[in-house]
């Protein structure tokens, strides 16, 4: 068995792994960059497919040249199709494809060593940690590092009182006639048949007058079959959006956990989960990219200063407590999802609400948002939540 050593081992080449790697290799003046090895799964089922990340930030950002599109307005429509476009003020809603992200970071990763291998185990040691790998040719490799950052999904999800999924399928479409408003995101369009449990909505990211990513999304307990998603998308594109003739140029599908499970901050003294595995997914919305950037930026800053580089919490505890209330309210049926979200976006300025969803609002803004929710239903939900036991969520399976 071969053994190699490095300063930092990063497992996984998704948003978290690549973001952390390039930040580590870009230290401030006068600071030596650590030796970093990135372990990525070989092509196959363990490597995630191409995906779309969305986030918002004020003005210019460090990934702007890699974006597919960005927008200054968004809209939430009720079941009748009503809903004004909301201006985002200084914020921009941004769309980034994972392939463009990886390609765009290559010049920044010139000093990065990559290993294609399946990680079979990660163990803590008194002076660091070791990653047990199986390379593509079947060889065993032990990688020893001072610190290990693991972005792989956990084998067992953390125990939770409420466990929902944001599951979706999207079509990248090109229409024969101009039908989209390229300046406005359709964030939630509730003109979709609502399921018996949870909620559903359409999501439209226009990249031109004739091009868009159109998704059908549900918040629920289990994903649908591919055929069910496609039937929902056909209904939405033909009978709701009335796109006319179009062709599908690509598809994407996924399921994002929405849970109040407590993600561990560490797996040992020298091993830390990052990204979704480290709690970067906001439970109430499914967004993660901005939190990943905050976490990886903070880790790199501490490492460059020689400190103890444990990733900080992705969101304040009070934000997660409010998320748990919302999820339990949706799961129990005390909160009607379409009415909840449409009223919230009508009552709260969009830029303030997006800061809240990103966990970046102050407590005064959070209280102001909370007062725009159905207070009586939220109080009843808060009374029932402590009586729920934490259980391990079932694995995600499609029928």
């Amino acid at each position: 068995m071969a053994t190699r050593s490095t300063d930092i081992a990063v497992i996984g080449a998704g948003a978290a792994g690549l973001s952390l790697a390039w930040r580590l290799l870009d230290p401030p003046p006068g600071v030596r960059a650590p030796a970093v090895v990135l372990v990525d799964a070989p092509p196959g089922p363990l490597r995630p497919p191409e995906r779309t990340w969305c986030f918002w930030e004020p003005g210019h950002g460090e990934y702007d040249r890699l974006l597919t599109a960005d927008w200054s307005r968004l809209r939430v429509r009720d079941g009748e199709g009503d809903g004004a476009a909301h201006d985002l003020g200084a914020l921009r809603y941004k769309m980034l494809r994972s392939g463009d992200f990886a390609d765009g970071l290559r010049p920044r990763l010139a000093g990065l060593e990559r290993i294609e291998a399946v990680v079979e185990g990660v163990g803590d040691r008194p002076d660091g940690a070791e990653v047990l790998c199986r390379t593509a040719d079947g060889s065993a490799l032990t990688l020893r590092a001072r610190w290990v950052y693991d972005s792989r999904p956990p084998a067992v999800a953390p125990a939770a009182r409420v466990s929902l999924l944001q599951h979706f399928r999207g079509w990248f479409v090109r229409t024969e006639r101009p039908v989209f408003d390229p300046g406005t995101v359709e964030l939630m369009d509730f003109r979709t048949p609502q399921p018996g449990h949870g909620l559903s909505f359409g999501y439209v990211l226009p990249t031109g007058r004739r091009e868009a990513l159109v998704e059908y999304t549900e918040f629920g307990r289990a994903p649908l079959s591919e055929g069910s998603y496609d039937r929902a998308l056909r209904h939405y594109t033909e009978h709701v959006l009335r796109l006319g003739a179009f062709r599908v140029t690509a598809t994407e599908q996924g399921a994002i956990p929405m849970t109040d499970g407590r993600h561990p901050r560490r797996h040992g003294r020298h091993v830390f989960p990052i990204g979704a595995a480290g709690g970067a997914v906001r439970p109430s919305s499914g967004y993660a990219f901005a939190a990943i950037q905050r976490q990886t930026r903070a880790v790199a800053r501490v490492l460059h200063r020689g400190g103890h580089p444990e990733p900080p919490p992705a969101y304040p505890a009070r934000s997660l407590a409010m998320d748990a209330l919302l999820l339990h309210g949706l799961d129990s049926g005390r909160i009607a999802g379409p009415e909840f979200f449409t009223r919230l976006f009508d009552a709260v300025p969009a830029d303030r609400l997006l800061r809240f969803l990103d966990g970046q609002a102050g407590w005064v803004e959070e209280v102001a948002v909370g007062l725009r929710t159905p207070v009586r239903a939220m109080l009843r939900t808060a009374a029932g939540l402590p009586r729920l036991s934490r259980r391990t969520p079932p694995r995600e399976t499609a029928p």
Side-chain angles (χ1 to χ4, degrees):
M1 176 187 293
T3 301
R4 299 169 65 177
S5 297
T6 187
D7 296 326
I8 314 292
V10 178
I11 303 174
L18 291 177
S19 297
L20 179 58
W22 87 255
R23 294 185 193 283
L24 292 173
L25 295 173
D26 186 32
V31 176
R32 181 187 69 87
V36 181
V37 174
L38 178 71
V39 183
D40 191 20
L46 294 180
R47 183 176 290 187
E50 176 88 357
R51 60 187 62 187
T52 299
W53 299 315
C54 287
F55 60 102
W56 48 87
E57 61 185 350
H60 180 75
E62 58 195 353
Y63 301 127
D64 276 9
R65 66 183 182 84
L66 309 178
L67 299 176
T68 301
D70 61 47
W71 302 269
S72 60
R73 299 187 304 276
L74 61 79
R75 190 191 329 265
V76 174
R77 296 183 186 268
D78 64 19
E80 302 301 318
D82 295 328
H86 301 282
D87 188 89
L88 299 183
L91 297 179
R92 302 287 292 185
Y93 190 92
K94 300 183 176 184
M95 174 186 181
L96 177 60
R97 296 282 286 157
S98 58
D100 295 333
F101 179 72
D103 291 343
L105 286 189
R106 281 201 177 92
R108 305 186 191 185
L109 298 173
L112 178 67
E113 181 180 356
R114 293 175 180 255
I115 296 174
E116 275 197 359
V118 175
V119 173
E120 297 182 334
V122 181
D124 217 28
R125 295 166 53 89
D127 58 347
E130 61 182 19
V131 182
L132 307 179
C133 305
R134 184 74 56 182
T135 61
D137 64 3
S139 302
L141 169 67
T142 297
L143 179 64
R144 291 182 176 168
R146 181 75 176 95
W147 307 104
V148 173
Y149 294 90
D150 191 348
S151 67
R152 295 174 301 162
V156 178
R161 293 169 297 183
V162 186
S163 296
L164 298 177
L165 287 175
Q166 181 179 161
H167 54 94
F168 59 89
R169 181 170 171 82
W171 289 345
F172 290 84
V173 303
R174 180 173 179 81
T175 62
E176 290 189 357
R177 58 188 179 87
V179 293
F180 299 113
D181 173 4
T184 304
V185 171
E186 299 286 340
L187 189 71
M188 289 177 139
D189 184 348
F190 291 108
R191 291 177 293 174
T192 52
Q194 295 302 307
H197 176 267
L199 60 93
S200 73
F201 57 89
Y203 177 45
V204 183
L205 296 172
T207 56
R209 296 286 293 169
R210 296 170 55 199
E211 298 85 24
L213 169 59
V214 180
E215 288 188 352
Y216 173 80
T217 301
E218 284 193 14
F219 292 1
R221 292 176 182 159
L224 307 179
S225 66
E226 185 174 308
S228 296
Y229 286 121
D230 283 343
R231 284 190 292 274
L233 278 166
R234 280 194 293 272
H235 175 270
Y236 184 58
T237 53
E238 294 175 12
H239 301 291
V240 177
L241 297 181
R242 300 184 184 276
L243 298 185
F246 67 89
R247 60 186 175 92
V248 177
T249 60
T251 64
E252 69 173 30
Q253 185 171 323
I256 303 169
M258 303 177 73
T259 168
D260 70 343
R262 297 167 180 167
H263 292 271
R265 298 277 299 282
R266 57 170 64 225
H267 293 323
R269 177 170 169 75
H270 305 92
V271 182
F272 307 106
I274 57 172
V281 177
R282 182 71 194 262
S284 62
S285 68
Y287 288 98
F289 189 82
I292 287 171
Q293 302 312 306
R294 291 194 296 270
Q295 279 191 327
T296 56
R297 191 180 296 116
V299 168
R301 186 184 305 118
V302 173
L303 270 166
H304 291 149
R305 293 173 179 171
H308 187 73
E310 180 175 306
Y315 304 101
R318 64 180 183 270
S319 298
L320 297 179
M322 296 177 76
D323 286 357
L325 288 179
L326 173 60
L327 293 178
H328 182 40
L330 292 173
D331 190 44
S332 65
R334 290 194 183 98
I335 295 174
E339 181 182 349
F340 176 90
F341 286 108
T342 53
R343 290 183 62 181
L344 197 59
F345 273 90
D346 283 342
V348 181
D351 55 344
R352 181 185 302 173
L353 194 51
L354 290 183
R355 284 196 301 272
F356 170 79
L357 291 175
D358 208 18
Q360 299 301 292
W363 70 269
V364 173
E365 285 186 313
E366 289 185 341
V367 170
V369 171
L371 291 175
R372 299 301 188 272
T373 65
V375 175
R376 184 175 299 177
M378 295 294 274
L379 289 175
R380 292 203 311 270
T381 300
L385 190 58
R387 295 196 292 269
L388 297 179
S389 59
R390 292 187 178 272
R391 296 177 295 177
T392 301
R395 286 185 174 273
E396 299 164 21
T397 57

